[in-house]
Amino acid sequence: MIGILTDVTKCIGCHKCVGACVDANKLDKHIPAPQHTSDGLAANRWTSIIKQPDSHYVRKQCRHCLEPACVSACIVGALKKTKSGPVVYDKKKCIGCRYCMMACPYGVPKYEWDTPVPYVRKCTMCYERVSVGKQPACTEACPTGATVFGDRDKLIAEAKLRITKNPEKYINRVFGEVEVGGTSVLYLSDIPLGFLGWKDDLGKEALPKLTWSALSKVPTEFLGMGAAMTGAFWIIGRRNKMRAMKVKEEAEKKAVENETGDAGTEEKGEDSNE
Ligand code: SF4
Ligand code: SF4
Ligand code: SF4
């Protein structure tokens, strides 16, 4: 199983990882609207750098949990934990209910609030790249080795070695080794990471068990199922309508282009006969 290890002590806050992610995933380059982000993450920012006092910079991204709460909360299977580690998203299946956003303990999935056909967006651990043997764009771009890609077990061993060699430098803990059942994205740090909604005191139990028990016991109270479903179907209807409008517009545009093109040819033909 693959993973990413980010060593907070090595990060210089250069944002190269953020830029590489935007480029690799063809994300909108605009800075996210402040009302949509408290930690820099947004539908068009799948990783962010959170500045902390004393020149500490912490890169945030999806933790790619081993037992992801987002996956268990998704009622249509739009989110999936792959065998190799990345948690991926199939927008064709998504109905826009946003249960994943409510279930994620790290506040990672974000919604495209500003687009007419909105989807949920988040880091995929560059699944397409890693599937063909490349590393994620962010780890490739990091100039200091603050964030590195590799086999999860080896990354944990490397993290523990760094702690053993420099016990005074690090908190004696590999963040993500066991929290919420373990995560594929791991951290080494010399400062606590429980800030900005980053709840690293969540315990070792995988959250899907809690998600499902809540869903099965009080489905109508948990997250307002009825209201959410109504919203979901409204969104699906809206998406379909937008798609139909787009297809119609394109067909009309093509027809006009064809007519113009034909007319041009006829005129040319007439001209050339003269
Ligand atoms: S961090 Fe959140 S979005 Fe990412 S895999 Fe875990 S539960 Fe899902
Ligand atoms: S793994 Fe890929 S998608 Fe995730 S933050 Fe890094 S560059 Fe972005
Ligand atoms: S590229 Fe590396 S050093 Fe620069 S902000 Fe990202 S993690 Fe930190």
Side-chain angles (χ1 to χ4, degrees), residues 1 64-66 68 71 79-83 85-88 184:
M1 175 156 315
H64 295 276
C65 309
L66 301 191
V71 172
L79 284 151
K80 189 177 88 176
K81 177 77 177 170
T82 58
K83 271 189 191 162
V87 173
V88 296
S184 297

Side-chain angles (χ1 to χ4, degrees), residues 10-17 49 59 138 141-144 146-147:
K10 287 174 178 261
C11 180
I12 56 172
C14 66
H15 284 73
K16 289 200 170 154
C17 50
I49 302 298
R59 183 159 97 86
C138 54
C142 181
T144 65
T147 189

